[in-house]
Amino acid sequence: MSKSNEDSKSLSVQGQRRDRNRIPSASEPLSPELLKFLRDSLVESHMQMEPPHVFVVFGASGDLAKKKIYPTLWWLYRDGLLPKVVYFIGYARSDLSIEALVKHFEPNCKVKDGEKEQFTEFVKKCTYVMGAYDKPEGFEKLDSVIAELEQKYNGPANRLYYLALPPNVFAPVTSQIKEHCMAGSGGWTRIIIEKPFGRDTATSAELSNHLASLFHEDQIYRIDHYLGKEMVQNLMVLRFGNRLFGPSWNRDHIASVTISFKEPFGTQGRGGYFDEFGILRDVMQNHLMQILTLVAMEKPASLNAEDIRDEKVKVLKSIRPVRVDDVVLGQYVGDPNGKDEDARQGYLDDPTVPKGSTTATYALAVLNVNNERWDGVPFFLRCGKALNERKAEVRVQFREVPGDIYPSGALKRTELVIRVQPNEAVYIKLMTKRPGMGFDVEETELDLSYNSRYTDVRLPDAYERLILEVFCGSQINFVRTDELDYAWKIFTPLLDQIEKEKIPPIEYVYGSRGPREGDELMQKHGFVFTGTYKWSPPQNNNKL
């Protein structure tokens, strides 16, 4: 058995050996076995440690940098997963000292007492450059800072640029990078771009064409953090690593697929930003469509990034544009009896939201993948704010058992559920005999709940996984240009019609399931909801 296979086997059984009395927090180190596996089989094989690596955060003074990027860089540095010679440069328009920048992000790093010395080392590797996003002076200064590091190490630095910025400055920033800040001969340059990637087909194509004029495709990393989530990545293994699912993963056995994203809070004062995009652009066109392609795609020829992305594109090409009749749009209103002030406020009560806005905060869409495997199977994409729970999941509902011999209505549909967040889990809701005399049946589950099976094993944060993959040059979990184009073509006609006709969203109360019309549309297309079963994640205990 090879060394990497031994490490993989070790990872697969570690949950059986560990203490089962607690769930690690997101800021704790990864398990020793996982760290060893990553260092031995991933990091060392993809990254040469000799040249300096420079990670530049554009928008360093912003919310994303403060809450996600800098904490992620710290965790990767702490766990020894970054190159030995690495530096971090923040860039923004704000006049900040390095002390002010560190004070900005340090609370989110959750540094423990035993880590303070290492965190001090991390801070020493951080610096800051102030500059405009559309003028050369700041970029020339940035390049000179990197050049000083290159002189120190007598060689070109590998450069990673993270654009944690509003979309309206993507073009000028990337143009300035190309003009002033590219790596010299022997080094490489990689650009990480946060969504949204345009507002529709035309603006997405404009951005893609602009980037293509400056960089090669293998230099561009369009980050959709949902592709870095553990359970989204598990879809590939569940589908193609288990013979059980292969024969039944088609229109003959599956009645519907539901992909849900629900948040129990509203815009929380960020309504002005949200109103520019709405729930369709903010969640459905990217996060949910990416998950749909992983559920529906054919087995790729290999785990090579291009083989996987080729199959995802084939799915997108098989989906016709969404029509207004296929969609339910909603907008939340306050609950007068809400438990707090947020719950009593509707979307239009947010002072940052334009008066009379018709932007949807809830959307349900029915899509069909018109190919031999999926013809006739509805794919329901559902997302919304201010709903009754926090949940992201994939729910595959199977068809009824033919030749039912049990009392009418006793058997319910089998469902495979992949719970992305919270309480990551894979479970199958199925029928079993009720304990006791006779053959009465009831619903129960076969359950793999991660916080029970893998206690004391911290799952990598999505940003940890994705930023590490950029260092390693892996594009498996990043969006390719043609993926983006085909996904926008599915939604742009709908978005144009909504905006042209000012289609009013249906009101729903804060904390509810959303508009009842959403449930009705799902039932119309064959989804069966009985309301007789609710999954509860198992509680941790000390028993093996």
mmCIF file with all atom_site columns, all heavy atoms in Angstrom, residues 15-23 451-452 455-456 538-544:
data_model
loop_
_atom_site.group_PDB
_atom_site.id
_atom_site.type_symbol
_atom_site.label_atom_id
_atom_site.label_alt_id
_atom_site.label_comp_id
_atom_site.label_asym_id
_atom_site.label_entity_id
_atom_site.label_seq_id
_atom_site.pdbx_PDB_ins_code
_atom_site.Cartn_x
_atom_site.Cartn_y
_atom_site.Cartn_z
_atom_site.occupancy
_atom_site.B_iso_or_equiv
_atom_site.pdbx_formal_charge
_atom_site.auth_seq_id
_atom_site.auth_comp_id
_atom_site.auth_asym_id
_atom_site.auth_atom_id
_atom_site.pdbx_PDB_model_num
ATOM 1   N N   . GLY A 1 15  ? -12.287 8.722  13.150 1.00 0.00 ? 15  GLY A N   1
ATOM 2   C CA  . GLY A 1 15  ? -13.456 9.037  13.961 1.00 0.00 ? 15  GLY A CA  1
ATOM 3   C C   . GLY A 1 15  ? -13.791 7.951  14.954 1.00 0.00 ? 15  GLY A C   1
ATOM 4   O O   . GLY A 1 15  ? -14.390 8.202  15.996 1.00 0.00 ? 15  GLY A O   1
ATOM 5   N N   . GLN A 1 16  ? -13.411 6.687  14.652 1.00 0.00 ? 16  GLN A N   1
ATOM 6   C CA  . GLN A 1 16  ? -13.717 5.590  15.553 1.00 0.00 ? 16  GLN A CA  1
ATOM 7   C C   . GLN A 1 16  ? -12.848 5.638  16.801 1.00 0.00 ? 16  GLN A C   1
ATOM 8   O O   . GLN A 1 16  ? -13.216 5.106  17.840 1.00 0.00 ? 16  GLN A O   1
ATOM 9   C CB  . GLN A 1 16  ? -13.506 4.265  14.831 1.00 0.00 ? 16  GLN A CB  1
ATOM 10  C CG  . GLN A 1 16  ? -14.349 4.120  13.573 1.00 0.00 ? 16  GLN A CG  1
ATOM 11  C CD  . GLN A 1 16  ? -14.011 2.850  12.837 1.00 0.00 ? 16  GLN A CD  1
ATOM 12  O OE1 . GLN A 1 16  ? -13.844 1.803  13.441 1.00 0.00 ? 16  GLN A OE1 1
ATOM 13  N NE2 . GLN A 1 16  ? -13.905 2.939  11.527 1.00 0.00 ? 16  GLN A NE2 1
ATOM 14  N N   . ARG A 1 17  ? -11.647 6.254  16.694 1.00 0.00 ? 17  ARG A N   1
ATOM 15  C CA  . ARG A 1 17  ? -10.702 6.189  17.782 1.00 0.00 ? 17  ARG A CA  1
ATOM 16  C C   . ARG A 1 17  ? -10.792 7.382  18.721 1.00 0.00 ? 17  ARG A C   1
ATOM 17  O O   . ARG A 1 17  ? -10.235 7.359  19.806 1.00 0.00 ? 17  ARG A O   1
ATOM 18  C CB  . ARG A 1 17  ? -9.272  6.147  17.205 1.00 0.00 ? 17  ARG A CB  1
ATOM 19  C CG  . ARG A 1 17  ? -9.034  5.031  16.240 1.00 0.00 ? 17  ARG A CG  1
ATOM 20  C CD  . ARG A 1 17  ? -7.533  4.858  16.048 1.00 0.00 ? 17  ARG A CD  1
ATOM 21  N NE  . ARG A 1 17  ? -6.900  6.067  15.542 1.00 0.00 ? 17  ARG A NE  1
ATOM 22  C CZ  . ARG A 1 17  ? -6.665  6.257  14.249 1.00 0.00 ? 17  ARG A CZ  1
ATOM 23  N NH1 . ARG A 1 17  ? -7.024  5.363  13.364 1.00 0.00 ? 17  ARG A NH1 1
ATOM 24  N NH2 . ARG A 1 17  ? -6.075  7.369  13.854 1.00 0.00 ? 17  ARG A NH2 1
ATOM 25  N N   . ARG A 1 18  ? -11.464 8.441  18.299 1.00 0.00 ? 18  ARG A N   1
ATOM 26  C CA  . ARG A 1 18  ? -11.350 9.690  19.032 1.00 0.00 ? 18  ARG A CA  1
ATOM 27  C C   . ARG A 1 18  ? -12.391 9.813  20.145 1.00 0.00 ? 18  ARG A C   1
ATOM 28  O O   . ARG A 1 18  ? -13.412 9.172  20.150 1.00 0.00 ? 18  ARG A O   1
ATOM 29  C CB  . ARG A 1 18  ? -11.475 10.867 18.063 1.00 0.00 ? 18  ARG A CB  1
ATOM 30  C CG  . ARG A 1 18  ? -10.266 10.936 17.160 1.00 0.00 ? 18  ARG A CG  1
ATOM 31  C CD  . ARG A 1 18  ? -10.362 12.157 16.261 1.00 0.00 ? 18  ARG A CD  1
ATOM 32  N NE  . ARG A 1 18  ? -9.085  12.388 15.652 1.00 0.00 ? 18  ARG A NE  1
ATOM 33  C CZ  . ARG A 1 18  ? -8.104  13.082 16.212 1.00 0.00 ? 18  ARG A CZ  1
ATOM 34  N NH1 . ARG A 1 18  ? -8.265  13.603 17.379 1.00 0.00 ? 18  ARG A NH1 1
ATOM 35  N NH2 . ARG A 1 18  ? -6.952  13.233 15.595 1.00 0.00 ? 18  ARG A NH2 1
ATOM 36  N N   . ASP A 1 19  ? -12.046 10.708 21.042 1.00 0.00 ? 19  ASP A N   1
ATOM 37  C CA  . ASP A 1 19  ? -12.961 11.031 22.120 1.00 0.00 ? 19  ASP A CA  1
ATOM 38  C C   . ASP A 1 19  ? -14.269 11.531 21.557 1.00 0.00 ? 19  ASP A C   1
ATOM 39  O O   . ASP A 1 19  ? -14.263 12.376 20.684 1.00 0.00 ? 19  ASP A O   1
ATOM 40  C CB  . ASP A 1 19  ? -12.352 12.169 22.936 1.00 0.00 ? 19  ASP A CB  1
ATOM 41  C CG  . ASP A 1 19  ? -12.261 11.828 24.377 1.00 0.00 ? 19  ASP A CG  1
ATOM 42  O OD1 . ASP A 1 19  ? -12.730 10.763 24.707 1.00 0.00 ? 19  ASP A OD1 1
ATOM 43  O OD2 . ASP A 1 19  ? -11.716 12.646 25.133 1.00 0.00 ? 19  ASP A OD2 1
ATOM 44  N N   . ARG A 1 20  ? -15.388 11.084 22.099 1.00 0.00 ? 20  ARG A N   1
ATOM 45  C CA  . ARG A 1 20  ? -16.679 11.456 21.514 1.00 0.00 ? 20  ARG A CA  1
ATOM 46  C C   . ARG A 1 20  ? -17.444 12.415 22.412 1.00 0.00 ? 20  ARG A C   1
ATOM 47  O O   . ARG A 1 20  ? -18.653 12.342 22.504 1.00 0.00 ? 20  ARG A O   1
ATOM 48  C CB  . ARG A 1 20  ? -17.499 10.190 21.271 1.00 0.00 ? 20  ARG A CB  1
ATOM 49  C CG  . ARG A 1 20  ? -16.771 9.255  20.321 1.00 0.00 ? 20  ARG A CG  1
ATOM 50  C CD  . ARG A 1 20  ? -17.743 8.412  19.563 1.00 0.00 ? 20  ARG A CD  1
ATOM 51  N NE  . ARG A 1 20  ? -17.092 7.794  18.449 1.00 0.00 ? 20  ARG A NE  1
ATOM 52  C CZ  . ARG A 1 20  ? -17.675 7.400  17.353 1.00 0.00 ? 20  ARG A CZ  1
ATOM 53  N NH1 . ARG A 1 20  ? -18.941 7.594  17.182 1.00 0.00 ? 20  ARG A NH1 1
ATOM 54  N NH2 . ARG A 1 20  ? -17.008 6.820  16.387 1.00 0.00 ? 20  ARG A NH2 1
ATOM 55  N N   . ASN A 1 21  ? -16.758 13.299 23.050 1.00 0.00 ? 21  ASN A N   1
ATOM 56  C CA  . ASN A 1 21  ? -17.464 14.146 24.024 1.00 0.00 ? 21  ASN A CA  1
ATOM 57  C C   . ASN A 1 21  ? -17.565 15.598 23.608 1.00 0.00 ? 21  ASN A C   1
ATOM 58  O O   . ASN A 1 21  ? -18.072 16.404 24.336 1.00 0.00 ? 21  ASN A O   1
ATOM 59  C CB  . ASN A 1 21  ? -16.761 14.055 25.389 1.00 0.00 ? 21  ASN A CB  1
ATOM 60  C CG  . ASN A 1 21  ? -15.306 14.474 25.315 1.00 0.00 ? 21  ASN A CG  1
ATOM 61  O OD1 . ASN A 1 21  ? -14.821 14.799 24.237 1.00 0.00 ? 21  ASN A OD1 1
ATOM 62  N ND2 . ASN A 1 21  ? -14.629 14.444 26.452 1.00 0.00 ? 21  ASN A ND2 1
ATOM 63  N N   . ARG A 1 22  ? -17.069 15.951 22.394 1.00 0.00 ? 22  ARG A N   1
ATOM 64  C CA  . ARG A 1 22  ? -17.173 17.338 22.015 1.00 0.00 ? 22  ARG A CA  1
ATOM 65  C C   . ARG A 1 22  ? -16.982 17.516 20.518 1.00 0.00 ? 22  ARG A C   1
ATOM 66  O O   . ARG A 1 22  ? -16.476 16.641 19.847 1.00 0.00 ? 22  ARG A O   1
ATOM 67  C CB  . ARG A 1 22  ? -16.131 18.179 22.725 1.00 0.00 ? 22  ARG A CB  1
ATOM 68  C CG  . ARG A 1 22  ? -14.721 17.891 22.300 1.00 0.00 ? 22  ARG A CG  1
ATOM 69  C CD  . ARG A 1 22  ? -13.748 18.454 23.289 1.00 0.00 ? 22  ARG A CD  1
ATOM 70  N NE  . ARG A 1 22  ? -12.740 19.353 22.889 1.00 0.00 ? 22  ARG A NE  1
ATOM 71  C CZ  . ARG A 1 22  ? -12.195 19.561 21.724 1.00 0.00 ? 22  ARG A CZ  1
ATOM 72  N NH1 . ARG A 1 22  ? -12.615 18.968 20.679 1.00 0.00 ? 22  ARG A NH1 1
ATOM 73  N NH2 . ARG A 1 22  ? -11.234 20.400 21.527 1.00 0.00 ? 22  ARG A NH2 1
ATOM 74  N N   . ILE A 1 23  ? -17.455 18.684 20.033 1.00 0.00 ? 23  ILE A N   1
ATOM 75  C CA  . ILE A 1 23  ? -17.293 19.047 18.629 1.00 0.00 ? 23  ILE A CA  1
ATOM 76  C C   . ILE A 1 23  ? -16.305 20.205 18.565 1.00 0.00 ? 23  ILE A C   1
ATOM 77  O O   . ILE A 1 23  ? -16.503 21.225 19.215 1.00 0.00 ? 23  ILE A O   1
ATOM 78  C CB  . ILE A 1 23  ? -18.630 19.475 18.010 1.00 0.00 ? 23  ILE A CB  1
ATOM 79  C CG1 . ILE A 1 23  ? -19.660 18.360 18.169 1.00 0.00 ? 23  ILE A CG1 1
ATOM 80  C CG2 . ILE A 1 23  ? -18.464 19.837 16.548 1.00 0.00 ? 23  ILE A CG2 1
ATOM 81  C CD1 . ILE A 1 23  ? -21.050 18.786 17.778 1.00 0.00 ? 23  ILE A CD1 1
ATOM 82  N N   . ASN A 1 451 ? -21.101 15.058 13.314 1.00 0.00 ? 451 ASN A N   1
ATOM 83  C CA  . ASN A 1 451 ? -20.720 15.417 14.675 1.00 0.00 ? 451 ASN A CA  1
ATOM 84  C C   . ASN A 1 451 ? -20.864 14.250 15.635 1.00 0.00 ? 451 ASN A C   1
ATOM 85  O O   . ASN A 1 451 ? -20.474 14.336 16.793 1.00 0.00 ? 451 ASN A O   1
ATOM 86  C CB  . ASN A 1 451 ? -21.505 16.632 15.180 1.00 0.00 ? 451 ASN A CB  1
ATOM 87  C CG  . ASN A 1 451 ? -22.994 16.362 15.295 1.00 0.00 ? 451 ASN A CG  1
ATOM 88  O OD1 . ASN A 1 451 ? -23.459 15.232 15.134 1.00 0.00 ? 451 ASN A OD1 1
ATOM 89  N ND2 . ASN A 1 451 ? -23.754 17.409 15.570 1.00 0.00 ? 451 ASN A ND2 1
ATOM 90  N N   . SER A 1 452 ? -21.416 13.134 15.168 1.00 0.00 ? 452 SER A N   1
ATOM 91  C CA  . SER A 1 452 ? -21.489 11.919 15.969 1.00 0.00 ? 452 SER A CA  1
ATOM 92  C C   . SER A 1 452 ? -20.439 10.911 15.526 1.00 0.00 ? 452 SER A C   1
ATOM 93  O O   . SER A 1 452 ? -19.736 10.318 16.342 1.00 0.00 ? 452 SER A O   1
ATOM 94  C CB  . SER A 1 452 ? -22.892 11.308 15.853 1.00 0.00 ? 452 SER A CB  1
ATOM 95  O OG  . SER A 1 452 ? -22.973 10.092 16.563 1.00 0.00 ? 452 SER A OG  1
ATOM 96  N N   . THR A 1 455 ? -16.524 12.713 15.786 1.00 0.00 ? 455 THR A N   1
ATOM 97  C CA  . THR A 1 455 ? -16.366 13.600 16.925 1.00 0.00 ? 455 THR A CA  1
ATOM 98  C C   . THR A 1 455 ? -14.900 13.954 17.115 1.00 0.00 ? 455 THR A C   1
ATOM 99  O O   . THR A 1 455 ? -14.018 13.128 16.935 1.00 0.00 ? 455 THR A O   1
ATOM 100 C CB  . THR A 1 455 ? -16.905 12.921 18.185 1.00 0.00 ? 455 THR A CB  1
ATOM 101 O OG1 . THR A 1 455 ? -18.205 12.433 17.923 1.00 0.00 ? 455 THR A OG1 1
ATOM 102 C CG2 . THR A 1 455 ? -16.960 13.886 19.356 1.00 0.00 ? 455 THR A CG2 1
ATOM 103 N N   . ASP A 1 456 ? -14.641 15.206 17.458 1.00 0.00 ? 456 ASP A N   1
ATOM 104 C CA  . ASP A 1 456 ? -13.300 15.718 17.693 1.00 0.00 ? 456 ASP A CA  1
ATOM 105 C C   . ASP A 1 456 ? -12.486 15.853 16.412 1.00 0.00 ? 456 ASP A C   1
ATOM 106 O O   . ASP A 1 456 ? -11.278 16.019 16.450 1.00 0.00 ? 456 ASP A O   1
ATOM 107 C CB  . ASP A 1 456 ? -12.539 14.854 18.703 1.00 0.00 ? 456 ASP A CB  1
ATOM 108 C CG  . ASP A 1 456 ? -11.467 15.661 19.426 1.00 0.00 ? 456 ASP A CG  1
ATOM 109 O OD1 . ASP A 1 456 ? -11.667 16.875 19.587 1.00 0.00 ? 456 ASP A OD1 1
ATOM 110 O OD2 . ASP A 1 456 ? -10.441 15.086 19.807 1.00 0.00 ? 456 ASP A OD2 1
ATOM 111 N N   . PRO A 1 538 ? -28.383 13.274 15.913 1.00 0.00 ? 538 PRO A N   1
ATOM 112 C CA  . PRO A 1 538 ? -28.115 12.553 17.154 1.00 0.00 ? 538 PRO A CA  1
ATOM 113 C C   . PRO A 1 538 ? -27.299 13.389 18.108 1.00 0.00 ? 538 PRO A C   1
ATOM 114 O O   . PRO A 1 538 ? -26.507 14.246 17.702 1.00 0.00 ? 538 PRO A O   1
ATOM 115 C CB  . PRO A 1 538 ? -27.346 11.312 16.688 1.00 0.00 ? 538 PRO A CB  1
ATOM 116 C CG  . PRO A 1 538 ? -26.742 11.702 15.389 1.00 0.00 ? 538 PRO A CG  1
ATOM 117 C CD  . PRO A 1 538 ? -27.717 12.662 14.756 1.00 0.00 ? 538 PRO A CD  1
ATOM 118 N N   . GLN A 1 539 ? -27.477 13.140 19.385 1.00 0.00 ? 539 GLN A N   1
ATOM 119 C CA  . GLN A 1 539 ? -26.716 13.847 20.400 1.00 0.00 ? 539 GLN A CA  1
ATOM 120 C C   . GLN A 1 539 ? -25.395 13.147 20.627 1.00 0.00 ? 539 GLN A C   1
ATOM 121 O O   . GLN A 1 539 ? -25.278 11.928 20.548 1.00 0.00 ? 539 GLN A O   1
ATOM 122 C CB  . GLN A 1 539 ? -27.514 13.890 21.726 1.00 0.00 ? 539 GLN A CB  1
ATOM 123 C CG  . GLN A 1 539 ? -28.844 14.606 21.611 1.00 0.00 ? 539 GLN A CG  1
ATOM 124 C CD  . GLN A 1 539 ? -28.672 16.065 21.261 1.00 0.00 ? 539 GLN A CD  1
ATOM 125 O OE1 . GLN A 1 539 ? -27.836 16.759 21.860 1.00 0.00 ? 539 GLN A OE1 1
ATOM 126 N NE2 . GLN A 1 539 ? -29.439 16.552 20.286 1.00 0.00 ? 539 GLN A NE2 1
ATOM 127 N N   . ASN A 1 540 ? -24.352 13.942 20.933 1.00 0.00 ? 540 ASN A N   1
ATOM 128 C CA  . ASN A 1 540 ? -23.060 13.346 21.254 1.00 0.00 ? 540 ASN A CA  1
ATOM 129 C C   . ASN A 1 540 ? -23.129 12.645 22.599 1.00 0.00 ? 540 ASN A C   1
ATOM 130 O O   . ASN A 1 540 ? -23.844 13.057 23.518 1.00 0.00 ? 540 ASN A O   1
ATOM 131 C CB  . ASN A 1 540 ? -21.973 14.427 21.332 1.00 0.00 ? 540 ASN A CB  1
ATOM 132 C CG  . ASN A 1 540 ? -21.586 14.908 19.956 1.00 0.00 ? 540 ASN A CG  1
ATOM 133 O OD1 . ASN A 1 540 ? -21.540 14.122 19.020 1.00 0.00 ? 540 ASN A OD1 1
ATOM 134 N ND2 . ASN A 1 540 ? -21.319 16.192 19.827 1.00 0.00 ? 540 ASN A ND2 1
ATOM 135 N N   . ASN A 1 541 ? -22.377 11.575 22.708 1.00 0.00 ? 541 ASN A N   1
ATOM 136 C CA  . ASN A 1 541 ? -22.234 10.906 24.002 1.00 0.00 ? 541 ASN A CA  1
ATOM 137 C C   . ASN A 1 541 ? -20.841 10.302 24.058 1.00 0.00 ? 541 ASN A C   1
ATOM 138 O O   . ASN A 1 541 ? -20.066 10.356 23.121 1.00 0.00 ? 541 ASN A O   1
ATOM 139 C CB  . ASN A 1 541 ? -23.320 9.852  24.193 1.00 0.00 ? 541 ASN A CB  1
ATOM 140 C CG  . ASN A 1 541 ? -23.332 8.836  23.060 1.00 0.00 ? 541 ASN A CG  1
ATOM 141 O OD1 . ASN A 1 541 ? -22.331 8.171  22.819 1.00 0.00 ? 541 ASN A OD1 1
ATOM 142 N ND2 . ASN A 1 541 ? -24.450 8.726  22.368 1.00 0.00 ? 541 ASN A ND2 1
ATOM 143 N N   . ASN A 1 542 ? -20.509 9.692  25.172 1.00 0.00 ? 542 ASN A N   1
ATOM 144 C CA  . ASN A 1 542 ? -19.176 9.146  25.372 1.00 0.00 ? 542 ASN A CA  1
ATOM 145 C C   . ASN A 1 542 ? -19.064 7.683  25.011 1.00 0.00 ? 542 ASN A C   1
ATOM 146 O O   . ASN A 1 542 ? -18.037 7.056  25.231 1.00 0.00 ? 542 ASN A O   1
ATOM 147 C CB  . ASN A 1 542 ? -18.732 9.341  26.825 1.00 0.00 ? 542 ASN A CB  1
ATOM 148 C CG  . ASN A 1 542 ? -18.570 10.813 27.165 1.00 0.00 ? 542 ASN A CG  1
ATOM 149 O OD1 . ASN A 1 542 ? -18.115 11.585 26.335 1.00 0.00 ? 542 ASN A OD1 1
ATOM 150 N ND2 . ASN A 1 542 ? -18.934 11.197 28.376 1.00 0.00 ? 542 ASN A ND2 1
ATOM 151 N N   . LYS A 1 543 ? -20.132 7.105  24.479 1.00 0.00 ? 543 LYS A N   1
ATOM 152 C CA  . LYS A 1 543 ? -20.096 5.691  24.143 1.00 0.00 ? 543 LYS A CA  1
ATOM 153 C C   . LYS A 1 543 ? -19.478 5.491  22.768 1.00 0.00 ? 543 LYS A C   1
ATOM 154 O O   . LYS A 1 543 ? -19.733 6.246  21.848 1.00 0.00 ? 543 LYS A O   1
ATOM 155 C CB  . LYS A 1 543 ? -21.520 5.115  24.152 1.00 0.00 ? 543 LYS A CB  1
ATOM 156 C CG  . LYS A 1 543 ? -22.168 5.151  25.534 1.00 0.00 ? 543 LYS A CG  1
ATOM 157 C CD  . LYS A 1 543 ? -23.573 4.580  25.466 1.00 0.00 ? 543 LYS A CD  1
ATOM 158 C CE  . LYS A 1 543 ? -24.255 4.631  26.826 1.00 0.00 ? 543 LYS A CE  1
ATOM 159 N NZ  . LYS A 1 543 ? -25.629 4.088  26.765 1.00 0.00 ? 543 LYS A NZ  1
ATOM 160 N N   . LEU A 1 544 ? -18.701 4.439  22.618 1.00 0.00 ? 544 LEU A N   1
ATOM 161 C CA  . LEU A 1 544 ? -18.131 4.085  21.320 1.00 0.00 ? 544 LEU A CA  1
ATOM 162 C C   . LEU A 1 544 ? -19.106 3.232  20.547 1.00 0.00 ? 544 LEU A C   1
ATOM 163 O O   . LEU A 1 544 ? -19.922 2.537  21.117 1.00 0.00 ? 544 LEU A O   1
ATOM 164 C CB  . LEU A 1 544 ? -16.807 3.333  21.509 1.00 0.00 ? 544 LEU A CB  1
ATOM 165 C CG  . LEU A 1 544 ? -15.662 4.179  22.105 1.00 0.00 ? 544 LEU A CG  1
ATOM 166 C CD1 . LEU A 1 544 ? -14.449 3.288  22.336 1.00 0.00 ? 544 LEU A CD1 1
ATOM 167 C CD2 . LEU A 1 544 ? -15.293 5.312  21.165 1.00 0.00 ? 544 LEU A CD2 1
#
